[in-house]
Amino acid sequence: MKIIVPMAGRGSRLRPHTLTVPKPLIPIAGKPIVHRLVEDIAKVINQPLEEVAFIIHPDFGSKVEEDLIAIAEKLGAKGTIYYQREALGTGHAIMCAKDSLSGPAVIAYADTLFRADFTLDANADSVIWVKQVDQPEAFGVINLNENNHIIELVEKPKEFVSDLAVIGIYYFKDIAILKNELQAVLDNNIIHGGEYQINDGIKQMMEKGMVFVPGQVDEWMDCGNKNVTVETNSRMLQFIHEDAEETMIAENVRIENSEIIPPCYIAADVHLVNSIIGPNVSIGKATHIINSKIKNSLIQTHSHIKNAKLDSAMIGNHVNYNGEFTSVSLGDYSTLD
C-alpha cells in the first residue's frame, strides 16, 4: 500500500504560522498534521505500508523534506519527495508523483484529519471518504445509486443531492488506472476553475464502469485557518485522552505552583510557573509559561509567555509574549484580537 500526499504551497489562511512552517507540519496535539493523517490512514487500511509520497513546492527546503521522510520511516515505509512547481490543481499535483502511481494507494490532502473505523470493500475499485454534513451546498458531495455505489461527484450543489461531503481522501485498488485517466486530462487540457482536477480523472473511471463506494468517517477535522486549527487541536486532545494511546505530558515537565486541567499535551522541557493550563492546550518543547491562564490553545516550541490570559490562541515557535506589554514589535500577518 502507498499513500500519496499532495501538500501544495505553504498557504495563506494560517499566516503568519505558515511563513516558516508549511501548514501540514504544524503540530496538532504535539504531532504534525500530516504525521497524524498518515498514521490514521495506515490504521484504517490495515495493510503493510510500502511508501509515502509527498508532493511539495520546492521552496519548502531541505529541513522540511527531511522531516517528511522521517514521518514515513517512522511508519516503516519509504519516503519519497516530488515537486509541484506551479499550483495547477489536484490532478496536476498527483501526476507530479506519477513514478509512484502503481498498485493500491490512498490519496490524502494534508490539511485534514479524521476518525474512522471501517473495513475497505475489497470488491470496490475505489473508496471515497465522506462525512455527513449539515450544509451540503457548501461542499463537494457524492451521489449514490440503489447499490450504494458512487455514480457522481457534485461540487457545491444548488439543489439537494446528498449530505455526504467528500473530505479529500481516496483509496484506489490500482492507482495506475487513475494515473492513465489523469494523463488524458492533462493531454486534452481539461481544466475546471483554471486547474486540472482529480474529479475529471475519477469521472472518466466511473464512465468506464469502475465501482466507487463511500467510506464514511465519524469525525472530520479541518486545519484550514487559525480558528478551526485550534478547534481541531482541542478535539484531537480529547480523543487521545479518551483512548489513552499516547503519552500526553512529558516526564521532565517542570511544574511550580501550577495546575494542569486535562486534556493537555505538554512536551519535554516545558516549564510552568504560577499558571493554570487547560483544558485543551498543546505546548511544544522548551516553552516557558509564567503567571498565566491558558485554555483551548495551541502553543509551539521555545516560546516564553508570561502574565497572559489566553483562550483560543495559536502561538508559533520562538515567541516572546508578555500580557502586560507596552512596547510592541509585530511582523507581517500578525494578529492581536
Side-chain angles (χ1 to χ4, degrees), residues 213-260:
V213 299
Q216 192 160 347
V217 300
D218 302 315
E219 294 282 345
W220 175 23
M221 294 164 282
D222 189 15
C223 300
N225 59 44
K226 172 259 179 184
N227 289 336
V228 297
T229 300
V230 170
E231 180 182 349
T232 290
N233 181 71
S234 295
R235 291 167 71 186
M236 187 59 68
L237 285 170
Q238 292 166 12
F239 293 140
I240 296 170
H241 180 69
E242 292 168 1
D243 295 345
E245 293 180 349
E246 300 179 27
T247 300
M248 299 187 70
I249 299 177
E251 292 184 359
N252 65 347
V253 174
R254 294 172 58 193
I255 302 174
E256 298 181 26
N257 192 35
S258 296
E259 180 183 2
I260 299 173

Side-chain angles (χ1 to χ4, degrees), residues 5 43 69 72 101 122 137 153 167 192 233 242 302 310 335:
V5 188
K43 289 178 184 177
I69 295 298
L101 301 183
E137 67 274 9
L153 300 175
I167 72 169
H192 289 97
N233 181 71
E242 292 168 1
H302 299 91
L310 301 176
T335 301

Side-chain angles (χ1 to χ4, degrees), residues 55-68:
I55 301 109
I56 66 174
H57 193 278
D59 72 1
F60 277 22
S62 59
K63 177 61 169 64
V64 169
E65 294 182 19
E66 291 170 5
D67 290 344
L68 292 172

Side-chain angles (χ1 to χ4, degrees), residues 152-212:
E152 189 179 15
L153 300 175
V154 184
E155 187 65 28
K156 297 182 180 179
K158 294 181 179 179
E159 297 181 0
F160 183 82
V161 175
S162 81
D163 59 359
L164 297 176
V166 177
I167 72 169
I169 305 176
Y170 312 80
Y171 164 78
F172 296 90
K173 184 185 292 185
D174 184 2
I175 199 171
I177 299 172
L178 176 68
K179 178 174 72 170
N180 292 336
E181 300 301 341
L182 287 178
Q183 187 62 58
V185 168
L186 298 179
D187 292 343
N188 293 297
N189 202 33
I190 300 173
I191 294 176
H192 289 97
E195 298 179 336
Y196 301 99
Q197 304 290 355
I198 185 177
N199 284 2
D200 289 309
I202 290 173
K203 179 181 178 181
Q204 293 173 178
M205 292 176 68
M206 290 179 178
E207 290 174 350
K208 293 178 179 178
M210 300 283 180
V211 176
F212 285 72

